[in-house]
Amino acid sequence: MQIEKKDIRALTKEQLRNFFVSNGDKAFRGNQVYEWLWQKRAHTFEDMTNVSKETRSMLEANFVINHIKVDTLQRSEDGTVKNAVRLHDDLIVESVLIPTETRTTACVSSQVGCSLDCNFCATARLKRMRNLEPGEIYDQVAAIDNESRLYYDRPLSNIVFMGMGEPLMNYPNVMKAIDMITSPEGLGMSPKRITVSTSGIPKMIKKMADDDVKFKLAVSLHSAVEEIRNEIMPFTKNFPLTDLRESLEYWYRKTKSKITYEYVVWKGINDDKKSIDALVKFCKYVPCKVNLIEYNPIDDGMFQQASEDATNAYITALAKSNIVAKVRRSRGKDIDAACGQLANKS
């Protein structure tokens, strides 16, 4: 019976050093291999050119590198790039590169499918098949960094966890991936350029605050009226707005970091005065800004983009209360690459 080999990237640097010592080699060999795995982004053991052939064979006999493969790449007319990413077990997730004049942003996935049941989201129609490993999350970012350098002649500047999955339902792996993305031994990116977007899980928001994370927090709110929120995001029945509010107040007390609310305005759902007033009131609890997101329809059902007038009514009401609000236009429409509404089309 063949034993399944462990992904070598699951080992810490110390564990790698110990592995080499226990196999009669020097500890520094672990440092060398660790650098190849993360900073040099080696896809195979053969890539490790300053490691002896015997050592590479030993690694091959004991481990695998479960590297992602960009299966298909689509470029939109607006410059957005969508990657269909094939994992080692042939499952597919998606990641997106979103360029502007001054920055390039990677939108990455954290799960295959999603644990939650937001009715407006394409990913929610896929059952959650598994969590992504830290290396698989890291690889998405590294691939988009390469694409940013290739197509836009500059390194990746920002990362948002708004692709497939709920990042806080894969907390340990997401945190490990961010540790490597921000480490000088990895991609060396500033945590201030990373935003983790959640649908709002109070216990985990508090845990992030307790863990003293340095990245930014975004919450997919979409309604500050309990009944509407529960209808469009049924899982929120277990996480009422009072609990969410309390966790966000806790977050701000601990981190002093502003929150971004992601908010889509839909026709006939949350485009009325009651919804606007509720959002303005909710925004006053904690320092925040609001991204009003243009919706990318996934079918001809109940969720349709609201009128320009409805969106403007939100902006006017928020501005009157000195709350910063911006309209985020959907990107990559011609390749179906709306960040946060990613779907597996393979």
Side-chain angles (χ1 to χ4, degrees):
M1 176 179 153
Q2 193 173 11
I3 299 169
E4 192 175 344
K5 296 179 197 172
K6 185 173 188 173
D7 187 343
I8 192 169
R9 290 187 298 176
L11 274 59
T12 64
K13 189 199 279 189
E14 200 52 42
Q15 287 170 327
L16 259 180
R17 286 167 60 88
N18 291 340
F19 169 79
F20 280 105
V21 170
S22 66
N23 281 275
D25 208 330
K26 299 278 192 292
F28 83 88
R29 192 75 64 210
N31 300 358
Q32 268 185 313
V33 171
Y34 194 80
E35 185 182 9
W36 274 108
L37 293 171
W38 297 105
Q39 205 166 52
K40 295 181 179 176
R41 312 177 197 180
H43 287 220
T44 69
F45 296 114
E46 286 304 305
D47 293 338
M48 301 178 183
T49 49
N50 66 344
V51 176
S52 73
K53 193 169 183 183
E54 293 75 25
T55 301
R56 282 181 271 161
S57 297
M58 180 179 70
L59 291 172
E60 194 82 54
N62 286 277
F63 302 107
V64 291
I65 304 174
N66 286 331
H67 213 283
I68 67 160
K69 179 188 170 198
V70 176
D71 217 32
T72 54
L73 181 152
Q74 293 173 275
R75 291 188 72 188
S76 167
E77 290 172 4
D78 66 17
T80 301
V81 177
K82 182 175 80 164
N83 294 321
V85 173
R86 188 171 295 277
L87 308 175
H88 70 95
D89 51 5
D90 277 343
L91 293 172
I92 301 277
V93 294
E94 291 179 1
S95 58
V96 180
L97 183 161
I98 305 161
T100 66
E101 284 182 16
T102 56
R103 62 172 64 178
T104 48
T105 299
C107 176
V108 297
S109 297
S110 55
Q111 296 179 311
V112 186
C114 188
S115 316
L116 306 181
D117 53 7
C118 304
N119 291 326
F120 54 85
C121 180
T123 306
R125 300 185 176 192
L126 309 167
K127 70 180 195 314
R128 187 188 73 80
M129 285 165 262
R130 69 172 175 86
N131 289 331
L132 292 187
E133 295 297 324
E136 293 171 323
I137 297 168
Y138 183 93
D139 287 347
Q140 292 175 72
V141 176
I144 290 177
D145 180 46
N146 289 339
E147 290 163 3
S148 179
R149 292 167 192 270
L150 175 66
Y151 297 126
Y152 297 100
D153 200 26
R154 58 179 187 258
L156 181 66
S157 58
N158 296 77
I159 303 167
V160 291
F161 282 79
M162 291 183 190
M164 296 171 80
E166 164 55 63
L168 300 194
M169 301 294 265
N170 186 17
Y171 188 81
N173 289 353
V174 167
M175 293 303 115
K176 280 181 195 166
I178 291 174
D179 282 346
M180 285 313 304
I181 290 163
T182 56
S183 167
E185 297 181 306
L187 296 176
M189 289 189 69
S190 166
K192 290 183 169 56
R193 294 183 172 273
I194 298 173
T195 300
V196 171
S197 178
T198 174
S199 297
I201 301 162
K203 181 175 81 170
M204 300 310 295
I205 291 170
K206 286 181 174 179
K207 176 160 177 52
M208 282 198 300
D210 288 337
D211 287 346
D212 195 28
V213 301
K214 302 300 181 194
F215 51 74
K216 295 174 183 173
L217 173 65
V219 177
S220 294
L221 188 62
H222 307 308
S223 181
V225 178
E226 199 82 73
E227 315 87 76
I228 297 174
R229 187 166 175 261
N230 290 346
E231 187 181 347
I232 61 177
M233 303 162 78
F235 82 93
T236 62
K237 289 169 189 166
N238 299 316
F239 306 111
L241 284 166
T242 48
D243 290 1
L244 178 60
R245 170 191 167 181
E246 196 228 331
S247 72
L248 295 174
E249 289 171 334
Y250 184 85
W251 162 272
Y252 187 75
R253 274 199 311 275
K254 297 274 282 194
T255 68
K256 295 293 180 282
S257 175
K258 257 187 187 181
I259 290 148
T260 299
Y261 293 120
E262 308 287 352
Y263 197 101
V264 181
V265 187
W266 289 289
K267 184 178 178 182
I269 293 175
N270 60 353
D271 58 351
D272 58 341
K273 187 174 185 305
K274 179 184 175 184
S275 292
I276 294 171
D277 292 346
L279 177 61
V280 170
K281 183 181 176 186
F282 197 83
C283 284
K284 289 178 179 175
Y285 296 134
V286 182
C288 65
K289 63 177 184 177
V290 177
N291 282 339
L292 295 165
I293 301 168
E294 184 182 24
Y295 185 60
N296 193 35
I298 56 175
D299 56 27
D300 296 319
M302 67 182 277
F303 293 98
Q304 298 298 320
Q305 176 67 34
S307 68
E308 198 79 20
D309 288 347
T311 303
N312 289 337
Y314 267 97
I315 291 169
T316 302
L318 289 162
K320 275 184 187 170
S321 293
N322 296 315
I323 298 156
V324 174
K326 291 183 178 175
V327 177
R328 298 285 189 209
R329 301 294 175 194
S330 184
R331 300 291 301 271
K333 288 182 184 180
D334 53 318
I335 57 169
D336 191 28
C339 207
Q341 300 165 48
L342 303 181
N344 182 350
K345 295 291 189 292
S346 63

